[in-house]
Amino acid sequence: MNTKLRGKHFITTQDWSVQELKTIFELAKLLKLEFAAGKINHSLDGKTLGMIFFDASTRTRTSFESAMTQLGGHGIYFAPQTMQISHGEGAKDTAKVLSSYLQGIAVRHCTYGEGNRYLNELRQHSSSPIVNMQCDVYHPAQILADYFTLTEHFGDNLRGLKLGVSWTYAPNYIRPLSVPQSLILMMPRFGIDVTLAHPPEFKLMPDIVAQAEKNAAESDATFRITHNMEDAFADTDAVIPKSWGPIITTTDQTAGLALIEKYPQWICDQGKMDLARKHALYMHPLPADRGKEVTAEVIDGPHSVIYQQAENRLHVQKALLSLIMG
Ligand code: CP
């Protein structure tokens, strides 16, 4: 266990060793139990997290803000249009000033080609840790919750677990690539064998795929890519089928939605779940496009752990914030 994490930025799990990530999971387990037992926690008394949301959120905002409250601290919600960011104030001045008031700065910025760059610019100039609440490349807090949820079902050692990550049809808007990219990066580092399925147009970023292959090879895990959705279900212990955009193919929203329309058959239904192992979990970070990405039978069925997964955002983020801001 490595507990020397005060001040460490959390932009991607790639910057964290497996030992450091394990520290988060150990603490999250403890904090979840303490919270269930009604124990008051003062780890972040007097500390403030600023949370800048360039994009909409239900779970991320609420779980980060509640995390701060439950640790004795305070979370401030910022909409960029109410800040001087709207008049062009850059990341350097924002980071220098806010980090003189705040003990942590968390940002959601999913605009393709901008979000991750903005977070890294903040990192360069901030004296407080920068936390990624989702950008165009990564959604690391979501993947902490996903991993933690898997350990609650399969135990602390997940080596050899088979996880399917699949693209799904969702025609209402274009989602970032950050969830599948963070999944394929982190899960193999814990020995989990990952199968990623997507139609040819929905490739992930090539450098992320190359890094995921390297991570898997270094951890004696497997990572493979297929264009057949069923492959992500066959003989798996858990599946995470969710939509993302065709960013590598086109950044044009209309063209992107037209590409999504080619694949309505990429839905997670009971037939596909039947290909997985009997105990297999259905997972989704939410929000899900019900009836398009997944049938009601599956998302509301006995193998679905979506609400446990969402709740675990709170517990892993409490652990993360106490370690880096404490
Ligand atoms: N999973 C997730 O990040 O949810 P929100 O977009 O509601 O924050």
Side-chain angles (χ1 to χ4, degrees), residues 3 42 89 109 122 136 149 209 298:
T3 55
H42 296 282
E89 186 162 49
H109 192 337
L122 289 176
D136 48 332
T149 304
V209 171
V298 172

Side-chain angles (χ1 to χ4, degrees), residues 134 139 142-143 146 164-170 173-183 196-199 202 204 229 232-233 239-245 260 266-268 282-289 292-294 299 306 309:
Q134 189 176 23
H139 195 355
Q142 178 64 52
I143 276 50
D146 296 351
V165 178
S166 175
W167 184 88
T168 55
Y169 172 70
Y173 70 98
I174 292 178
R175 280 98 168 146
L177 290 73
S178 50
V179 168
Q181 295 198 151
S182 291
L183 282 168
L196 173 72
H198 60 72
F202 292 86
L204 301 180
M229 190 175 185
F233 288 75
V239 291
I240 308 184
K242 74 145 337 264
S243 185
W244 63 85
I260 290 173
W266 281 65
I267 182 170
C268 176
Y282 168 80
M283 302 173 73
H284 193 296
L286 302 178
D289 199 340
K292 303 281 178 22
E293 286 191 87
V294 57
I299 195 167
I306 55 169
Q309 204 182 340

